[in-house]
Each structure stands twice: as C-alpha cells, then as structure tokens.
Amino acid sequence: MKAHIVVLPGDGIGPEVTNAAQQVLDKVSSQFGHDFQMDEHLMGGVSIDQYGVALTDETLADCLDADAVLLGAVGGLKWDDPNAKVRPEQGLLTLRKEMGLFANLRPVSTHPKLQESSPLKNDRLKDVDILVVRELTGGIYYGEPSCRSIDQDGKMRAVDSMVYWDYEVKRIVQLACNLARDRQCKVTSVDKANILESSRLWRQIASDVANDHPLISFNHLLVDAAAMHLITKPSNFDVLVTSNMFGDILTDEASVLTGSMGNLPSASVGDSGPGLYEPIHGSAPDIAGKGIANPIGMILSAALLLRHSLQLEQEAICIETAVSLALDDGCRTIDLQEENALSTQQMTKAIISRLEKNIT
Ligand code: IPM
Ligand code: MG
C-alpha cells in the first residue's frame, strides 16, 4: 500500500518520540511491503519561532491532503507568556477543527507487568480496559466569548464559554455507542448536569441516543464521581464518553492506572478524511533533549494510524504485540522504572526487534 503521512514532531520531547514512531513505521513498511511517504512540517512553538504562527496554511493544506497525520507534542515554557498573542496550542486546536476531528479515542488498558509502575493498589489494576471517547472540536476549548478585560479600577476579568450544540453531542455519543458494540456494550456518559446548562443538554441528547441503542447498557455519571470511580473501580468502565475538557482531564488521570502517561496513544477522527494520531502526553520540557522519553504512547499512536486511517489491522496488531512483548521482558523507560531504565532509542530498538521476530 502507498500512503502519504504528514509528520508534525512539534516541541519538547515531540521530535524524540516521533522519531521512534517513524522508525517503527519504516520497519512495518519494509516488512509488509508498503510505501509510506512521510513528510515532516514544523507545528507549535517551533513553527511560531520560524514563521510567527503555530500552524501555517501550507502545513494545514498538506495535512488535509494526507492519508493521515502523526503528531508528537506542542508547547513549552518559551511560549508560555500569558499575554502572548500566539501560542503553540492554537496550532493543534486549529488543526483539529479544520480537519473536522470531532472524536478523540483514548484507549486505556493496563499491562499486567506494569502494575508496579502505578502508585495505585495492584488489585484495582486488573482487567482495566477503557475506551475514552473525548469530544474534540466543541465545548470550552472553542466557545465564544473567550476574552479578557480590565475595568476602570484596574480589575481584570476573563471569560471562557462552554458551548455545546445538540448535533455535536449526538454524533459523539452515537460514535461511542457504535464503538461499544464491539466491546462490552457499556457506555458511561460523563457530565456535570447538576451545575452546567451545557451538561444538561448533553445529558438530554445522550439519553435520546441511548434510547436508539437498546443493546447498550447506558448510564450517566457526574464528572466528579467519574474522577473517583476511575481510581476506585476502573474495571467497571467500558466506553466513557465525555466533553472536550472533561476528557482531557480524565484521561491524564486514567493514565496513572497504566503506570505512566507516556504509555497512552490517541486517535482523532471525523466523519471522513485523514485522522490525526498523537500520544496523550505533552511536550515534557523538563526531560526534552535528554533522550529518555517513553516512546510507547507515540508508537501505539502509529499503530492506531495504521488501523483507523489505512485499515492495516494486522500491522497495527503487530506493533501492539511488540510493545507488549517488550514490557513482558522488563524493558522500561525511566517514567516506568528508575533503575536500569532504557533510553528512548533503546526502548524503540527493543520494540522493533520484537516486531521483526513477530513477523518472520
Ligand atoms: C491533549 C493536550 C492538549 C489538549 C493541549 C496540548 C492543547 O493536553 O491533547 O490532551 O488540551 O487537548
Ligand atoms: Mg491533555
């Protein structure tokens, strides 16, 4: 298969982990006889430095034209001035919106051998297999007004707006129900309907969608309770569907179950067109450039790219199996284990060597 993949390494550890995923994709393409054309562009802070904007029109056009986009991470202290007019994160938000990627799929499952890497009690970590379906192009990330003002006495005020349209809720909850059919047929919709009007609309529309899916066991949960249940009884969840910001927060929390935020991949998809694949972690400026970042979330994102955008299921499974085998054999980056930790490159090599064995 021939495919055009746009690669946006971004900032901080982004380039290091993206390089790892590219090595894995190169190996898969040579072993399976594919031709992946990978084009790199600047995005985020590095694009601001070079072009004055976080995402140029050319880069956006190339992404829209690609079969899929692979992204590392954006952001960093250098661009963190609260008064800055341009921010690295704007590039990512524009990209998600312009590509129509309303759904962000974040699978969270625990690997038995990584229980020691999690600060949580081991018995809680058994049989955890959650798919978080995060709404990605609406809610407080995009709502207007979003602004600041200063009154005559110098008092400052800032506003963000959580806005949801009925059709935005409908399509994301529908997707969650459809995905649940291939899993345990259980959907938990998470909101804050006791307080927020946008959540009351969310709950109403979600209930309507649930009525159309009689085979799905559907329930609503308030986000504060969901945050607690994710830690106290994580194996009760199957598919968790929620709004943009709640999904962002709950997935960082859920990543603790797996031992590290560095382990988690994500796939952002829309109705059609290319998908965007990125780990859930950020640019981790504190460890950037040291060659010690965990490449697993990024490598598993590449697997999701093969599965969702290129329909290469067997290749995706090969990557996922190789990661799992490397973990079985005790390969760990420093976020998972401080002693005898592997570098990003050593971990990548460990995964690639198991990939090769797996295929041949
Ligand atoms: C994520 C990140 C982003 C988000 C940031 C970098 C804009 O935290 O993908 O989870 O909040 O969506
Ligand atoms: Mg996040």
Side-chain angles (χ1 to χ4, degrees):
M1 162 183 279
K2 234 179 146 152
H4 174 209
I5 301 172
V6 168
V7 179
L8 307 172
D11 307 317
I13 58 167
E16 298 161 49
V17 293
T18 306
N19 176 277
Q22 280 178 285
Q23 291 179 47
V24 171
L25 285 174
D26 280 339
K27 179 53 74 184
V28 167
S29 70
S30 68
Q31 299 264 339
F32 284 87
H34 300 305
D35 177 7
F36 299 149
Q37 184 203 326
M38 294 193 249
D39 285 335
E40 264 187 45
H41 290 285
L42 298 179
M43 214 281 275
V46 284
S47 174
I48 293 177
D49 288 350
Q50 179 85 17
Y51 305 114
V53 288
L55 175 71
T56 65
D57 292 345
E58 290 74 25
T59 299
L60 173 61
D62 219 25
C63 290
L64 290 167
D65 200 40
D67 293 303
V69 181
L70 193 63
L71 186 144
V74 295
L77 299 175
K78 183 174 173 192
W79 308 281
D80 248 356
D81 173 2
N83 294 311
K85 287 270 169 300
V86 282
R87 296 186 54 90
E89 294 80 5
Q90 287 164 349
L92 183 52
L93 262 58
T94 306
L95 196 59
R96 289 170 176 170
K97 191 74 165 182
E98 294 296 320
M99 292 176 74
L101 306 171
F102 65 84
N104 183 219
L105 314 181
R106 298 188 159 187
V108 181
S109 56
T110 47
H111 188 285
K113 290 265 174 76
L114 281 186
Q115 289 187 348
E116 292 310 318
S117 302
S118 174
L120 300 172
K121 289 200 178 110
N122 288 358
D123 60 326
R124 307 249 163 105
L125 305 176
K126 275 191 214 112
D127 305 319
V128 173
D129 181 10
I130 309 171
L131 177 63
V132 178
V133 179
R134 169 188 176 195
E135 200 289 326
L136 201 61
T137 51
I140 201 165
Y141 275 54
Y142 293 91
E144 294 292 342
S146 169
C147 57
R148 250 183 204 240
S149 57
I150 304 187
D151 73 6
Q152 279 165 345
D153 324 324
K155 280 208 251 54
M156 291 187 283
R157 179 169 178 266
V159 179
D160 291 292
S161 308
M162 194 181 287
V163 180
Y164 267 112
W165 288 88
D166 51 2
Y167 71 90
E168 292 176 315
V169 181
K170 190 171 175 186
R171 67 186 174 186
I172 194 77
V173 179
Q174 257 166 356
L175 178 68
C177 288
N178 291 339
L179 291 167
R181 281 198 302 212
D182 293 332
R183 300 172 48 97
Q184 293 174 55
C185 291
K186 222 160 107 181
V187 175
T188 306
S189 172
V190 172
D191 61 35
K192 187 71 183 172
N194 53 346
I195 300 293
L196 303 174
E197 200 54 47
S198 58
S199 277
R200 286 193 276 274
L201 177 70
W202 179 287
R203 197 173 272 222
Q204 179 188 333
I205 304 293
S207 300
D208 291 347
V209 174
N211 286 338
D212 296 337
H213 290 84
L215 296 181
I216 300 290
S217 137
F218 197 97
N219 70 303
H220 302 279
L221 196 59
L222 295 173
V223 64
D224 44 358
M228 181 183 64
H229 288 184
L230 271 175
I231 298 298
T232 52
K233 32 189 175 179
S235 59
N236 280 6
F237 288 98
D238 178 20
V239 174
L240 187 164
V241 63
T242 191
S243 62
N244 206 340
M245 189 168 69
F246 296 161
D248 179 47
I249 297 169
L250 292 179
T251 44
D252 271 26
E253 186 197 1
S255 76
V256 175
L257 301 163
T258 75
S260 168
M261 174 137 130
N263 290 329
L264 290 198
S266 88
S268 302
V269 297
D271 278 329
S272 58
L276 170 72
Y277 301 85
E278 50 170 323
I280 81 150
H281 63 70
S283 58
D286 52 325
I287 57 160
K290 295 189 178 163
I292 57 170
N294 181 351
I296 290 180
M298 188 78 221
I299 289 171
L300 292 177
S301 298
L304 293 179
L305 181 155
L306 298 180
R307 170 173 298 127
H308 293 286
S309 281
L310 306 183
Q311 282 69 50
L312 298 174
E313 178 66 24
Q314 197 196 341
E315 287 81 341
I317 291 175
C318 277
I319 295 177
E320 288 160 352
T321 308
V323 167
S324 188
L325 289 173
L327 292 174
D328 281 342
D329 294 342
C331 304
R332 304 280 185 272
T333 42
I334 197 157
D335 52 321
L336 296 169
Q337 177 184 295
E338 280 186 15
E339 264 167 45
N340 302 320
L342 300 185
S343 68
T344 308
Q345 184 53 25
Q346 286 168 330
M347 188 67 167
T348 307
K349 272 201 168 152
I351 293 169
I352 290 177
S353 72
R354 281 153 185 91
L355 184 70
E356 278 170 335
K357 270 195 227 141
N358 222 352
I359 297 168
T360 48

